[in-house]
């Protein structure tokens, strides 16, 4: 009789602790609820929000792997302290074409956001590569020109030896022909242009230029003038002079210095808005009458001082009437 009573008591107490399973599930759900509420409260901090979101996912994943019979709470070994590395699906989804990182642009801190929408895309640079290669094929083969394409610019590098005489900013006839061929391609589009001048590190000091800064800027300005003469909209263009301070090769060798003497026409992927287009200013040469030169009296008859129209003076010993 006593044996039967013990067996019956053991059978009755078999299920007395099953409430722990429900209690563990309830505590898991409540913990997840408060984690979500806390994450929402700090959603202005992206990194912390990502940490708690991913922690929540791991909690539920762990909860599904624990059997109900164990009745144990979820351990905290799987809690994250750093966000997981992003995957392609997480960043872009499964049905959205991911955007190339180069097309993303970080704006400066004080940039006027209203101006971002005005930045229009121009002619695709990839479509221009073959056109320029065909137009400058002979110069490329001779090593006088080089074309490069990256995410933001298509650059046409032209040797200064082909464009200008030594220590001069006057274009050669060959340069005019090359610039005319380039202008035929860039004239119909609206992409921004940057004309950049470069020199080697050999010092220059003559009656026209006191430094390589001046020489590089003057050469870039002369190419800009030639482009404008080819009816390229001046609103699209800007010039940059780098002098000797942005070398492409070593200046210790003649070959390296030759590579550093160049003018680059850089074509941007962005374009001038259509409403900003203005006609290139033209000047009727026939209507322009140059101001006469005025001779200033001098005590020495062998020296003549002539006042120039722009305000300067020229001192000469030659007889200007017989030149």
């Amino acid at each position: 009789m006593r044996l039967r009573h013990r067996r019956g008591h053991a059978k009755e107490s078999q299920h007395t602790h099953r409430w722990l399973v429900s209690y563990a599930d309830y505590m898991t759900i409540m913990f997840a609820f408060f984690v979500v509420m806390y994450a929402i409260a700090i959603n202005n901090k992206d990194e912390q929000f990502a940490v708690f979101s991913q922690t929540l996912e791991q909690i539920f994943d762990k909860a599904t792997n624990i059997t109900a019979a164990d009745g144990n709470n979820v351990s905290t070994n799987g809690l994250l302290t750093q966000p997981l590395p992003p995957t392609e699906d997480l960043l872009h989804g499964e049905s959205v074409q991911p955007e190339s990182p180069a097309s993303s642009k970080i704006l400066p801190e004080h940039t006027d956001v209203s101006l971002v929408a005005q930045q229009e895309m121009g002619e695709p640079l990839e479509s221009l590569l073959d056109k320029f290669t065909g137009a400058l094929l002979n110069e490329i083969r001779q090593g006088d020109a080089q074309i490069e394409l990256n995410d933001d610019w298509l650059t046409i590098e032209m040797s200064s030896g082909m464009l200008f005489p030594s220590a001069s900013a006057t274009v050669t006839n060959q340069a005019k022909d090359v610039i005319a061929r380039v202008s035929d391609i860039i004239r119909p589009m609206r992409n921004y242009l940057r004309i950049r001048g470069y020199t080697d590190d050999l010092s220059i000091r003559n009656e026209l230029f006191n430094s390589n800064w001046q020489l590089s800027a003057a050469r870039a300005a002369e190419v800009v003038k030639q482009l404008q003469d080819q009816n390229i909209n001046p609103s699209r263009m800007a010039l940059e002079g780098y002098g000797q301070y942005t070398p492409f090769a070593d200046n210790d060798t003649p070959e390296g210095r030759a590579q550093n003497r160049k003018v680059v026409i850089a074509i941007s992927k962005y374009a001038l808005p259509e409403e900003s287009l203005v006609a290139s200013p033209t000047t009727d040469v026939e209507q322009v009458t140059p101001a006469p030169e005025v001779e200033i009296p001098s005590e020495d008859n062998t020296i003549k001082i002539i006042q120039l129209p722009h305000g300067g003076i020229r001192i000469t010993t030659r007889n200007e009437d017989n030149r």
Side-chain angles (χ1 to χ4, degrees):
M1 198 62 187
R2 184 177 301 175
L3 181 60
R4 290 180 181 179
H5 178 71
R6 289 181 179 177
R7 287 180 179 177
H9 181 73
K11 188 175 182 180
E12 291 176 1
S13 62
Q14 245 179 356
H15 305 288
T16 56
H17 299 289
R18 293 186 62 183
W19 63 273
L20 290 175
V21 177
S22 300
Y23 179 77
D25 292 340
Y26 171 76
M27 293 300 296
T28 302
I29 294 173
M30 291 300 295
F31 176 74
F33 172 76
F34 284 109
V35 168
V36 171
M37 295 299 293
Y38 182 73
I40 293 175
I42 62 168
N43 62 356
N44 59 328
K45 300 178 181 179
D46 295 335
E47 183 176 350
Q48 296 184 18
F49 180 71
V51 171
F52 278 98
S53 298
Q54 294 164 10
T55 301
L56 182 60
E57 292 177 4
Q58 290 219 350
I59 289 174
F60 279 110
D61 290 341
K62 267 192 170 297
T64 56
N65 296 331
I66 298 178
T67 59
D70 291 337
N72 295 325
N73 293 333
V74 178
S75 66
T76 58
N77 295 331
L79 298 183
L80 301 178
T81 58
Q82 296 294 331
L84 294 174
T87 61
E88 292 297 320
D89 293 340
L90 179 62
L91 292 175
H92 309 294
E94 297 179 354
S95 61
V96 179
Q97 182 69 24
E99 183 182 10
S100 62
S103 62
S104 302
K105 184 177 181 181
I106 300 177
L107 299 176
E109 182 179 358
H110 301 292
T111 298
D112 187 356
V113 182
S114 62
L115 300 178
V116 177
Q118 301 176 11
Q119 208 165 33
E120 298 183 8
M121 302 299 294
E123 189 80 11
L125 301 181
E126 294 81 1
S127 64
L128 301 174
L129 183 60
D130 293 337
K131 296 180 181 179
F132 284 115
T133 302
L136 303 176
L137 185 58
N138 292 332
E139 287 74 16
I140 294 174
R141 289 175 176 174
Q142 296 171 4
D144 291 329
Q146 183 177 347
I147 302 174
E148 293 184 1
L149 174 65
N150 57 35
D151 295 326
D152 298 319
W153 300 92
L154 187 149
T155 57
I156 305 170
E157 299 182 3
M158 297 177 291
S159 169
S160 294
M162 175 187 67
L163 299 177
F164 306 98
S166 177
S168 172
T170 302
V171 294
T172 62
N173 292 331
Q174 182 182 3
K176 293 180 179 179
D177 177 63
V178 171
I179 294 174
R181 279 180 275 153
V182 172
S183 300
D184 291 339
I185 300 175
I186 63 179
R187 187 181 299 110
M189 58 187 187
R190 298 181 291 111
N191 297 55
Y192 287 109
L193 305 175
R194 295 293 180 267
I195 317 303
R196 305 164 179 167
Y198 301 89
T199 66
D200 56 27
D201 64 347
L202 297 180
S203 61
I204 179 174
R205 184 176 293 275
N206 55 29
E207 64 275 7
L208 296 177
F209 308 108
N210 291 325
S211 66
N212 285 320
W213 281 113
Q214 295 179 351
L215 178 61
S216 63
R219 286 179 170 178
E222 182 61 26
V223 174
V224 168
K225 179 181 178 299
Q226 294 296 323
L227 291 172
Q228 186 172 348
D229 291 343
Q230 294 290 331
N231 296 322
I232 303 300
N233 191 339
S235 300
R236 297 167 49 192
M237 297 188 289
L239 65 89
E240 303 169 359
Y242 291 90
Q244 67 198 47
Y245 301 103
T246 310
F248 293 81
D250 193 353
N251 278 308
D252 293 335
T253 62
E255 294 79 10
R257 289 192 292 270
Q259 295 181 36
N260 293 330
R261 297 190 297 266
K262 66 179 67 178
V263 173
V264 176
I265 299 178
I267 305 172
S268 172
K269 68 178 180 181
Y270 297 109
L272 183 72
E274 292 186 6
E275 59 271 15
S276 301
L277 293 176
V278 296
S280 300
T282 57
T283 303
D284 190 353
V285 179
E286 297 179 356
Q287 297 179 359
V288 177
T289 303
E293 297 180 352
V294 179
E295 183 175 343
I296 301 175
S298 173
E299 297 179 357
D300 190 349
N301 294 329
T302 62
I303 298 177
K304 287 188 177 182
I305 304 175
I306 299 175
Q307 184 174 357
L308 301 178
H310 55 75
I313 61 173
R314 181 169 71 245
I315 302 175
T316 180
T317 58
R318 295 180 299 175
N319 187 351
E320 297 293 332
D321 296 334
N322 298 329
R323 60 183 174 181

